[in-house]
Amino acid sequence: MKRICKASGTEFEITDEDLAFYKKVSPKIGGKIYEIPPPTLCPEERQRRRLVWRNLYHLTYRKCDATGKNIITNYGKDTGYKVYDNPYWWSDNWDARDYGRDFDFSRSFFDQFQELMMAVPHPNVTVNYPTLENSEFTNYAAYIKDCYLVFHADMNEGCLYNTNIKKSKDCVDNLFIFDSELLHECIDCQKCYRLFFSQNCENCSNSWFLKDCIGCKDCFGCTNLRHQQYVIFNRSVTKDGYDTFLKNFLSNKHSELTSMQAECTSFWQQQFFQNLQQAKNENCVGDQIYECENVKDSFDIKQARDMKHCQRISIGENHDCYDIDQYGMSVQMSYEGSGIGDRSAQILFGILVNSQANNVLYSMEVFLSRDCFGCVGLRDAKYCILNKQYSKEKYEELVPKIIEHMKKTPLNPPLTGGKQAAEWGEFFPIELSPFAYNETVAQEYFPMTKEEVLAKGWKWRDETNEIPNVSKVIPANRLPDSIDDIPDDILNWAIQCEETKKPFKIQKAELEFYRKMRLPIPHYHPDVRHGHRMKKRNPRKLWERNCGNCGISIQTTYAPERPEKVFCERCYQESVY
């Protein structure tokens, strides 16, 4: 079945396998199945719509609406949303069911849901707060200790400025790393130790500037190596030769490190690349997929099966999901959701619905609950509609009526082009998100200008470069070049980012890490450093092009017009082993 996306106007395909999935996960209520219709938007636009509901990095201070305590949150002061500090939000001092209301069949579901969102208090950040120790400044995190500004972070200790990090220790400025220790400026690395400025590496240690390497140690500026030691720019050297080179390189100066980084990047670009980053898979299509079976058109997936159009799902028994963005840890039989997981199943159109949740539809921030429809902020609840408590019998009588009402109610604002979509089967509209477009993860993967965002009627927030209360403000290019010349007093300075002029501070644990690892002080704001790392990853998009060695047609995240030489899996494996 071919369809035209009502947002982008592009054609996309819905297969028989897709239709079977929608039928398979359609909710069964009171003995009757209420089928989910095929999507009206293409996979990319569906993903954009979900990502607009996730403000990951933009944190600010405001007062807790319950205690008056000054807290950090991703809900701005002017959004109109109520926010509780996590300890209070999770306490028994209040009950989200107190905000319950009757469903009004003269109005649209999404209008009523938005009113409920505005009324019910939200947790200040999305964390499993009882599992956090000395880690206040974080978001989307659990089981962490002594961490600062880490996001999508689970089971970590002593980590700073990392995004998508799990089971790691003493790592600073990284993106998508797992089971690692003492990493700096690494991307998509796992089971590594003392690794710096590297990408797509596994089981590597004591090395610098590696790309697509496995099982290597004491290597520098290399790519496509397997189980090597004492190699510089892909040339083997003696131990003494390597030690001498490393001693001469490690000058601890920002200028020399920057120059070497450019030299290594240039060397990498002259080599060949694998079309997709995958390992230990069966029948999978996508990038950064590991230990999976039958996962299609998905990205950043680990330990999953029977999934499609999913992103960033990992760890546990994850299966039978479409269009789920982020989390995992055992998510099953779910469709169109963001932040779904932790032993949850049958979550349809959910935002942050997890922690052993089951049979939850069109809900937000619902945990440890089951059989809920259109709810916000519930914990340990069941048979609730718009947060109002019902009996099982009344719930199963009323929910089907609401679904039929949604089938007849057109989206407002409408999607562009052609016959309009009804509410049933659509994810929450972008216009309902409490966050500005440029505050959310959507801006990372689907960047837009302020003018483009406002033209669509979406929200935009202008950033300010407020100077913190410090003893000194210094432009980054006037910092001492070597870490040896950085005084302790830098902890009381504000550094102006070289790229944006936005001020940032160095944390004590951060300074200790740089000194221990013999690394210079960064010249860019943490947000800019994260942006630089994101640009080094390939986009979440597949193209058709030919293998640069044998010429067969391949799918890859390298666009056809890019200059890199890209090999199919067979040619790549034959070349590196």
Side-chain angles (χ1 to χ4, degrees):
M1 176 192 300
K2 300 287 187 180
R3 278 201 168 182
I4 301 298
C5 175
K6 290 185 177 293
S8 66
T10 59
E11 185 179 77
F12 67 102
E13 184 178 11
I14 300 173
T15 67
D16 290 341
E17 183 181 36
D18 298 337
L19 295 174
F21 171 82
Y22 301 137
K23 185 174 183 179
K24 181 178 181 179
V25 298
S26 293
K28 186 177 182 179
I29 304 168
K32 183 179 178 181
I33 295 176
Y34 294 85
E35 291 195 11
I36 295 172
T40 58
L41 301 185
C42 66
E44 291 78 12
E45 290 300 328
R46 299 200 301 269
Q47 183 185 167
R48 183 205 301 268
R49 186 168 57 180
R50 293 191 302 273
L51 293 181
V52 167
W53 289 81
R54 186 143 50 94
N55 176 7
L56 193 61
Y57 313 107
H58 291 77
L59 305 178
T60 186
Y61 281 106
R62 61 174 284 183
K63 299 291 186 182
C64 169
D65 287 302
T67 67
K69 175 184 174 183
N70 204 31
I71 58 175
I72 190 168
T73 178
N74 58 350
Y75 286 88
K77 303 174 185 177
D78 58 350
T79 61
Y81 287 83
K82 296 179 182 178
V83 176
Y84 284 177
D85 190 23
N86 257 285
Y88 192 94
W89 193 90
W90 284 92
S91 73
D92 294 330
N93 294 327
W94 73 289
D95 190 335
R97 281 170 286 204
D98 292 340
Y99 297 85
R101 59 208 53 203
D102 293 326
F103 189 86
D104 184 349
F105 285 93
S106 68
R107 302 175 59 207
S108 76
F109 164 76
F110 284 132
D111 283 348
Q112 296 178 69
F113 185 84
Q114 185 177 32
E115 289 182 357
L116 185 64
M117 276 200 307
M118 296 292 293
V120 178
H122 301 268
N124 61 310
V125 288
T126 303
V127 297
N128 187 342
Y129 94 92
T131 69
L132 272 56
E133 182 177 345
N134 189 33
S135 302
E136 178 183 5
F137 293 87
T138 185
N139 198 12
Y140 285 74
Y143 304 98
I144 60 175
K145 178 182 178 181
D146 299 330
C147 291
Y148 180 80
L149 290 183
V150 296
F151 307 96
H152 286 320
D154 300 291
M155 298 163 281
N156 307 296
E157 181 177 349
C159 295
L160 301 89
Y161 308 116
N162 297 279
T163 300
N164 297 299
I165 174 174
K166 293 184 184 293
K167 298 182 179 179
S168 296
K169 183 178 180 181
D170 297 331
C171 295
V172 177
D173 274 319
N174 302 282
L175 177 64
F176 284 97
I177 62 171
F178 298 85
D179 300 308
S180 296
E181 184 175 353
L182 294 174
L183 268 59
H184 179 62
E185 286 292 356
C186 290
I187 304 167
D188 293 306
C189 294
Q190 57 182 321
K191 299 178 181 178
C192 293
Y193 175 75
R194 293 184 73 99
L195 186 64
F196 309 96
F197 302 94
S198 298
Q199 188 171 359
N200 294 326
C201 293
E202 182 178 355
N203 285 320
C204 293
S205 62
N206 298 312
S207 297
W208 294 74
F209 302 108
L210 302 188
K211 187 164 186 177
D212 298 311
C213 292
I214 297 176
C216 296
K217 59 182 179 179
D218 303 306
C219 292
F220 191 101
C222 298
T223 182
N224 297 324
L225 293 188
R226 298 295 184 267
H227 311 293
Q228 298 291 318
Q229 186 176 16
Y230 305 128
V231 183
I232 301 173
F233 291 107
N234 281 34
R235 290 188 177 184
S236 295
V237 297
T238 64
K239 180 182 184 302
D240 290 342
Y242 183 84
D243 291 342
T244 299
F245 172 86
L246 200 61
K247 182 179 179 181
N248 291 333
F249 161 71
L250 294 179
S251 63
N252 315 313
K253 293 183 177 180
H254 179 270
S255 58
E256 295 185 3
L257 185 67
T258 301
S259 177
M260 181 59 74
Q261 188 170 11
E263 182 178 347
C264 292
T265 300
S266 178
F267 175 76
W268 292 346
Q269 292 300 105
Q270 300 169 32
Q271 312 306 310
F272 55 88
F273 296 83
Q274 188 173 6
N275 63 321
L276 296 169
Q277 294 292 330
Q278 294 189 6
K280 302 178 182 178
N281 298 321
E282 182 180 342
N283 191 32
C284 293
V285 178
D287 203 32
Q288 299 293 342
I289 299 179
Y290 301 94
E291 303 173 43
C292 292
E293 178 184 351
N294 193 33
V295 171
K296 305 292 180 63
D297 300 325
S298 297
F299 301 86
D300 304 308
I301 310 292
K302 190 172 184 178
Q303 297 177 352
R305 61 179 171 84
D306 301 318
M307 291 197 167
K308 193 172 184 180
H309 307 313
C310 291
Q311 299 84 32
R312 207 195 155 273
I313 303 292
S314 65
I315 304 179
E317 185 63 20
N318 304 295
H319 64 83
D320 292 289
C321 294
Y322 272 39
D323 292 276
I324 300 296
D325 178 80
Q326 192 258 322
Y327 206 8
M329 295 180 70
S330 297
V331 55
Q332 304 168 9
M333 295 287 290
S334 296
Y335 173 60
E336 276 273 41
S338 179
I340 312 300
D342 190 8
R343 297 160 292 168
S344 295
Q346 201 73 29
I347 312 301
L348 308 176
F349 313 103
I351 301 168
L352 298 172
V353 177
N354 52 62
S355 301
Q356 302 179 60
N358 283 276
N359 300 315
V360 177
L361 288 79
Y362 282 104
S363 295
M364 178 181 185
E365 293 166 350
V366 169
F367 310 98
L368 298 163
S369 300
R370 58 172 300 152
D371 299 298
C372 293
F373 191 105
C375 294
V376 179
L378 293 183
R379 293 170 282 121
D380 196 20
K382 59 183 178 180
Y383 305 125
C384 293
I385 302 170
L386 292 182
N387 284 32
K388 183 176 180 179
Q389 184 68 62
Y390 292 91
S391 66
K392 178 178 182 294
E393 293 73 20
K394 188 64 177 178
Y395 177 88
E396 293 180 348
E397 175 189 338
L398 185 55
V399 168
K401 294 179 181 179
I402 296 174
I403 293 175
E404 293 300 325
H405 176 74
M406 292 176 69
K407 288 180 180 180
K408 300 174 184 176
T409 305
L411 277 177
N412 185 29
L415 298 171
T416 57
K419 183 180 178 181
Q420 286 307 310
E423 289 186 317
W424 175 248
E426 297 292 336
F427 193 72
F428 302 99
I430 288 176
E431 291 81 2
L432 267 61
S433 171
F435 309 118
Y437 187 93
N438 61 317
E439 289 180 315
T440 69
V441 181
Q443 182 71 351
E444 283 192 334
Y445 291 98
F446 304 96
M448 298 176 68
T449 65
K450 177 179 180 179
E451 292 72 23
E452 290 170 334
V453 169
L454 295 180
K456 288 184 173 292
W458 303 340
K459 294 186 284 289
W460 181 275
R461 185 180 298 277
D462 292 319
E463 291 193 33
T464 60
N465 290 345
E466 183 178 350
I467 303 294
N469 185 19
V470 293
S471 63
K472 180 178 180 179
V473 179
I474 182 172
N477 59 10
R478 291 180 55 192
L479 285 168
D481 201 22
S482 173
I483 187 66
D484 294 330
D485 299 322
I486 297 293
D488 292 344
D489 194 46
I490 194 174
L491 301 179
N492 300 315
W493 300 355
I495 303 171
Q496 287 185 312
C497 172
E498 277 192 10
E499 185 172 312
T500 65
K501 307 305 178 187
K502 187 174 181 178
F504 64 97
K505 292 185 68 177
I506 300 296
Q507 303 300 310
K508 182 179 179 182
E510 182 184 3
L511 179 61
E512 291 172 352
F513 178 86
Y514 296 142
R515 286 173 169 170
K516 179 180 179 180
M517 297 293 103
R518 312 298 296 147
L519 293 164
I521 296 294
H523 283 209
Y524 298 101
H525 188 279
D527 292 348
V528 174
R529 302 197 305 261
H530 170 74
H532 290 168
R533 289 190 290 273
M534 284 294 299
K535 289 179 180 178
K536 293 177 181 178
R537 298 188 93 223
N538 282 1
R540 287 176 174 174
K541 187 173 182 179
L542 299 173
W543 285 273
E544 297 285 341
R545 63 183 287 177
N546 296 325
C547 171
N549 188 50
C550 71
I552 67 167
S553 178
I554 57 175
Q555 284 188 308
T556 179
T557 52
Y558 291 89
E561 64 271 15
R562 287 178 58 168
E564 292 94 342
K565 184 183 292 186
V566 182
F567 285 8
C568 67
E569 182 179 8
R570 181 178 63 83
C571 290
Y572 182 83
Q573 296 297 330
E574 290 176 352
S575 299
V576 298
Y577 286 104

